[in-house]
Amino acid sequence: MPAITHHIPDPMIAAYASGSLPHAYSMVVASHLSYCRDCQAALGAHQAVGGALLETSACAALTQDAKPKLMAQLDAPAAPEPVYDAAGIYPGPVMQSLKGRPLRWKTLGMGVKQDILFEDAAGSARLLYIPAGQAVPDHSHNGLELTLVLQGSFSDETGRFGVGDVEIGDEDLDHTPVADPGDPCICLAATDAPLRFKALMPRLLQPLFRI
Amino acid sequence: MSKDKTYSELTVWLLAVRDHRDRAAFGDMFDFLAPRLKGFIIRCGARPALAEEIVQDVMLTIWRKAAMFDPHKAQASAWIYQIARNRHIDIIRKESRPVPDELGEDPGAEPDASQILALEQEALHLKQAIQQLHPDQKEMIEKAYIGDLTHQEISTQTGLPLGTVKSRIRLGLGRLRKELKGLR
Ligand SMILES: [Zn+2]
């Protein structure tokens, strides 16, 4: 178990428990929870509050045949659900999102690679591979950004982030994360806007845009 | 020590389902839980017909996954709450929610019956604390825990300024936390 120093803020854990956190962020929160006993304890506290609210909830009557219909289903065989367990450096939530497919690293230049795991209107989540000494590619900060380290470490103006640590960035955070010496740094990153890496621009167009 | 005196009804039913596939206990649990779940899910924004479909799905999930319930780790109501939120969201979004890996036992802590009792006590006190909350505070806390509602959305829906929403949630949660601290 790595020593974790950068955690998920408590309100975000509550939002994860209640399901109000967008999917891409939930992937990072669930992945951090896969390393962190402290944050799992915080989740347990929120689930306990949720459970108490459920138990004291006002009732709504069910239709007459709801119970017999359910009791009749108890013996029906459940459709087998695929199980995706943690593998290597990748925690369960990353494997769940890959759904058994192999990694597909796409080069962004300077040895930096990415694999987009999930994208919807509310945000996107991707794996980033950054060789030692390389900067995490420059991207626009349109909103909240979560970066969780899965292998190696990176450092920036705010500190050092090792395996299991999560950095929370927003528009106010102007930072230049650089992968530390040693193993390449592999991260799971979620943003509420698609990351616009400069290197994504087709190479032929780059001279026109002076990138 | 009698299990029935110290464990909540919900825990006793769930353990009977887990250990003995006890249909009578499951039936009793349905009678208690299903109407509360339906009320809860309707207040999460689902129409009654969809809410009932989700209730059935949640109850069936409880029956099938009961083996995963561990009273050393979570209260029955907390475990069911998370299943209810997960199933609701999975059904609406058709995308499975990311679920964290289980961490093994804390090397410093041997699982024993006192852990279960502490969690049972916590659940009991939480319920009492919620029942004593001012209705405004209860409503706010409920919205934060049942819904696809962010603080901003609560503010929009209730017409209360965002600062008020946040401070009410904080006040209510602070009071609940104090209850929890007294127990731990
Ligand atoms: Zn943590």
Side-chain angles (χ1 to χ4, degrees):
Chain A
M1 191 77 42
I4 293 169
T5 50
H6 301 274
H7 297 274
I8 303 285
D10 197 54
M12 207 179 280
I13 293 179
Y16 169 76
S18 76
S20 55
L21 198 63
H23 189 90
Y25 296 132
S26 290
M27 286 171 63
V28 178
V29 172
S31 295
H32 175 80
L33 287 164
S34 303
Y35 295 95
C36 184
R37 219 177 272 287
D38 291 352
C39 287
Q40 283 215 359
L43 175 66
H46 288 298
Q47 289 168 332
V49 176
L53 287 166
L54 174 60
E55 270 195 89
T56 54
S57 165
C59 294
L62 278 93
T63 50
Q64 285 285 315
D65 57 347
K67 188 176 179 184
K69 243 168 46 190
L70 180 68
M71 298 304 283
Q73 278 182 69
L74 297 187
D75 290 325
E81 268 178 55
V83 178
Y84 302 110
D85 289 325
I89 63 161
Y90 300 104
V94 169
M95 300 309 290
Q96 290 156 29
S97 130
L98 286 168
K99 297 187 182 80
R101 78 157 165 90
L103 289 173
R104 286 194 289 261
W105 291 112
K106 297 258 158 58
T107 297
L108 294 171
M110 307 298 282
V112 177
K113 297 182 269 189
Q114 72 166 351
D115 183 341
I116 297 172
L117 299 179
F118 176 84
E119 211 164 4
D120 70 7
S124 62
R126 68 197 68 213
L127 292 169
L128 289 170
Y129 176 104
I130 307 137
Q134 285 296 333
V136 177
D138 193 19
H139 52 270
S140 60
H141 285 269
N142 290 323
L144 183 65
E145 176 191 79
L146 303 184
T147 311
L148 172 75
V149 177
L150 306 178
Q151 176 186 290
S153 63
F154 69 77
S155 299
D156 68 11
E157 292 83 346
T158 67
R160 180 185 175 275
F161 296 81
V163 172
D165 283 328
V166 60
E167 181 170 61
I168 318 261
D170 59 24
E171 298 104 46
D172 302 333
L173 178 68
D174 188 15
H175 64 150
T176 323
V178 175
D180 293 327
D183 285 337
C185 182
I186 297 179
C187 300
L188 173 66
T191 49
D192 55 2
L195 282 180
R196 304 213 179 280
F197 289 114
K198 287 176 180 169
L200 283 177
M201 200 74 75
R203 284 189 184 286
L204 283 172
L205 291 177
Q206 284 180 13
L208 296 174
F209 290 97
R210 297 176 187 281
I211 292 171
Chain B
M1 180 169 51
S2 157
K3 205 157 108 167
D4 300 279
K5 275 195 190 133
T6 46
Y7 289 8
S8 73
E9 267 186 320
L10 202 52
T11 307
V12 173
W13 289 327
L14 190 50
L15 289 175
V17 168
R18 184 191 77 174
D19 299 336
H20 309 295
R21 309 307 283 156
D22 186 330
R23 279 163 194 267
F26 185 75
D28 290 342
M29 181 156 62
F30 183 94
D31 294 337
F32 172 80
L33 208 52
R36 285 172 174 78
L37 269 171
K38 188 171 174 184
F40 196 75
I41 293 166
I42 286 172
R43 284 199 305 293
C44 293
R47 290 159 183 273
L50 175 65
E52 187 149 321
E53 189 190 313
I54 296 168
V55 170
Q56 299 287 63
D57 187 289
V58 169
M59 291 306 301
L60 199 57
T61 305
I62 292 170
W63 173 259
R64 287 177 176 162
K65 297 208 166 153
M68 291 164 74
F69 171 64
D70 179 354
H72 297 92
K73 287 188 177 155
Q75 295 96 342
S77 59
W79 188 74
I80 292 165
Y81 163 77
Q82 196 64 75
I83 289 181
R85 294 308 302 134
N86 287 356
R87 292 309 302 152
H88 188 171
I89 292 156
D90 288 358
I91 287 169
I92 286 179
R93 297 194 190 151
K94 313 243 185 300
E95 171 86 33
S96 286
R97 293 198 71 203
V99 180
D101 296 323
E102 292 262 349
L103 294 174
E105 283 303 327
D106 191 335
E110 280 284 305
D112 63 31
S114 69
Q115 257 172 278
I116 305 183
L117 292 180
L119 286 172
E120 289 285 307
Q121 281 289 310
E122 178 186 282
L124 188 65
H125 284 244
L126 268 174
K127 263 196 298 186
Q128 288 165 350
I130 284 170
Q131 278 154 350
Q132 285 164 16
L133 286 176
H134 191 274
D136 285 358
Q137 289 177 340
K138 189 186 170 188
E139 193 189 339
M140 283 299 150
I141 287 187
E142 203 173 45
K143 282 190 171 154
Y145 281 92
I146 67 179
D148 297 88
L149 276 189
T150 61
H151 292 180
Q152 179 64 56
E153 287 165 331
I154 293 172
S155 169
T156 312
Q157 205 172 82
T158 58
L160 289 166
L162 191 58
T164 311
V165 170
K166 282 188 175 163
S167 72
R168 275 201 188 154
I169 289 179
R170 250 201 311 274
L171 260 174
L173 281 179
R175 189 153 167 196
L176 290 178
R177 284 232 182 74
K178 246 176 122 177
E179 291 288 336
L180 290 174
K181 256 204 190 122
L183 294 164
R184 275 173 176 160

